Amino acid sequence: MCAEARLIGELECSLETLQDRFNTWQTPVEGQREILRAVHRALLVDQRADQAAKVMTALLGTYTEKDAATARDDAMECVRTAVVDPKSFSFDHLERLSAVKALKTSDPLMFTALELFISGTLKDYQQFVTKNPKFVTEHLKVDETILLKKIRLLTLMSLAEEKNEISLDELAKQLDIHTDETLEEFVIDAIQVNAISGKINEMARTLVVSSYQHRRFGSEQWILLEKRLKVLIANLKQTHNNVHEVNQKIDTL
């Protein structure tokens, strides 16, 4: 009803709330799937693609290896929603879902598209579109300019993972952007959507990257995060000790 009245924003439909309702109502699995599909459709109509993608991921989480083969339509929609969402840059978690794994057999083209956005580059995307010219409009159902921007952002993130200082000439070549003004605008957009953080050094003609989003988040990234958290905790302890020493000196005055 909220979806039809365009009032989905008035309905609390976070995954935590939905799961709480399912537990309270003892909703059977198929009933949960129907509700999640309805919420997903409503969120898309309300232009909340990022939340809709999370709902579809939760929906696929209700499938196991036993019934993953029956989830083809849901898996395809989950991949499609995630890929076209302008705020999503990491998709490797989808690859671990049984229902998505089954696409490798039931819809290899959609699975290939997912792998492309997990680890591919602009060059890989261009080759894919050349071989499958109708895939973007007929299967992903999105304007190709949106995906071009998305894959360029992902390519930039991959470059940032390799080195924190990238020459503008190399960047222009990898992103297939041929004017400095357009390239600078693209970098600004990338920073605004938090794909990377950094700044352009006009004199050296380089992009200096201070941080970036990871396209994959596996054991290597968890280890790196742990190291950074340990450094942060150590710095906070040192700051606390310094403040304590200053307070003691003040008390003795």
Side-chain angles (χ1 to χ4, degrees), residues 46-243:
D46 202 41
Q47 298 184 346
R48 291 156 67 184
D50 53 336
Q51 192 171 347
K54 294 177 182 177
V55 169
M56 280 306 296
T57 302
L59 169 60
L60 291 195
T62 66
Y63 290 94
T64 64
E65 291 185 3
K66 292 182 180 180
D67 59 355
T70 67
R72 179 175 178 271
D73 290 344
D74 286 335
M76 288 174 61
E77 179 60 15
C78 181
V79 171
R80 189 197 72 79
T81 304
V83 165
V84 303
D85 176 19
K87 298 180 182 178
S88 297
F89 300 108
S90 178
F91 311 99
D92 59 317
H93 62 288
L94 297 179
E95 199 176 30
R96 295 189 287 269
L97 295 172
S98 298
V100 174
K101 288 180 182 178
L103 286 178
K104 197 168 186 177
T105 301
S106 63
D107 196 323
L109 205 56
M110 184 65 82
F111 190 82
T112 299
L114 174 61
E115 289 185 314
L116 174 64
F117 281 88
I118 289 175
S119 57
T121 63
L122 174 62
K123 184 178 179 180
D124 299 323
Y125 172 81
Q126 289 171 332
Q127 291 175 347
F128 177 82
V129 171
T130 299
K131 293 179 181 178
N132 308 280
K134 296 183 179 180
F135 183 82
V136 171
T137 54
E138 293 184 0
H139 294 271
L140 295 181
K141 301 173 184 177
V142 65
D143 190 315
E144 190 175 349
T145 57
I146 294 175
L147 288 192
L148 268 174
K149 181 177 180 180
K150 183 76 165 279
I151 197 63
R152 282 190 171 112
L153 287 169
L154 295 172
T155 301
L156 172 58
M157 289 161 58
S158 291
L159 291 170
E161 287 182 357
E162 296 173 5
K163 48 189 173 182
N164 59 11
E165 189 167 341
I166 311 165
S167 76
L168 294 185
D169 291 337
E170 179 186 357
L171 192 59
K173 181 180 178 181
Q174 294 292 335
L175 301 181
D176 196 22
I177 297 175
H178 305 293
T179 66
D180 287 349
E181 184 178 348
T182 305
L183 183 61
E184 185 173 339
E185 290 175 355
F186 176 81
V187 171
I188 292 172
D189 285 343
I191 294 172
Q192 289 178 338
V193 298
N194 297 319
I196 65 162
S197 293
K199 61 181 180 179
I200 292 177
N201 184 329
E202 299 283 359
M203 296 295 294
R205 285 190 55 77
T206 59
L207 169 63
V208 181
V209 179
S210 54
S211 65
Y212 55 87
Q213 284 198 44
H214 290 280
R215 295 184 66 177
R216 286 183 176 273
F217 206 92
S219 57
E220 183 179 340
Q221 285 72 37
W222 281 114
I223 292 171
L224 179 61
L225 178 60
E226 182 183 25
K227 289 180 180 178
R228 288 177 175 174
L229 287 174
K230 285 181 178 179
V231 171
L232 176 61
I233 291 171
N235 290 338
L236 288 173
K237 286 182 178 179
Q238 184 61 49
T239 301
H240 178 269
N241 291 336
N242 292 342
V243 171

